[in-house]
Amino acid sequence: QVQLVESGGGLVQAGGSLRLSCVASGSFFSINAMGWYRQAPGKQRELVAAIKSGGSTDYSDSVKGRFTISRDNAKNTVYLQMNSLKPEDTAVYYCNLDCSHSFSSRTYYWGQGTQVTVSS
């Protein structure tokens, strides 16, 4: 069984920084991608950043230049460094794992979410 454990959320002032971490554990054949999504009250869950197995990254336009996604493959961990935070970044942030359990099986897992609140 796969489990994702997130940490690093909290309350910061606008312009501050936070670093989110997500550790994946359990049984899986390979990791295709890991990413971060967020959901604010009354809004749809949206992609923030993702990093694929080959190392390529994707970012939402709203966070480009401010957020950086990275990974430590040996630790099955993905990070999200968030700088220059804005009040509109306030949301619950979810870690996502896209993995394969075999050559022909692929599934997605979610963490429980961590709250990020940015005050003005």
Side-chain angles (χ1 to χ4, degrees):
Q1 186 171 323
V2 175
Q3 183 177 170
L4 303 178
V5 179
E6 300 146 317
S7 62
L11 173 64
V12 297
Q13 288 190 218
S17 298
L18 285 173
R19 184 182 186 237
L20 305 183
S21 299
C22 174
V23 181
S25 62
S27 298
F28 44 83
F29 187 76
S30 63
I31 295 176
N32 303 308
M34 297 187 74
W36 291 94
Y37 291 71
R38 68 186 181 188
Q39 187 166 24
K43 304 291 185 180
Q44 284 191 308
R45 187 172 298 186
E46 65 173 350
L47 173 69
V48 177
I51 184 165
K52 299 177 181 178
S53 61
S56 63
T57 57
D58 292 305
Y59 296 93
S60 69
D61 290 338
S62 63
V63 307
K64 286 181 179 177
R66 299 188 297 120
F67 292 9
T68 303
I69 189 169
S70 61
R71 68 185 182 189
D72 185 334
N73 289 337
K75 298 180 179 179
N76 289 329
T77 301
V78 64
Y79 305 93
L80 185 67
Q81 179 65 47
M82 304 185 293
N83 298 325
S84 301
L85 283 162
K86 304 175 181 179
E88 50 263 45
D89 295 318
T90 295
V92 177
Y93 284 69
Y94 297 91
C95 180
N96 173 261
L97 170 66
D98 171 5
C99 70
S100 297
H101 292 286
S102 69
F103 287 118
S104 60
S105 179
R106 187 173 183 173
T107 192
Y108 303 86
Y109 297 91
W110 295 93
Q112 79 286 352
T114 184
Q115 177 71 49
V116 172
T117 302
V118 184
S119 65
S120 59

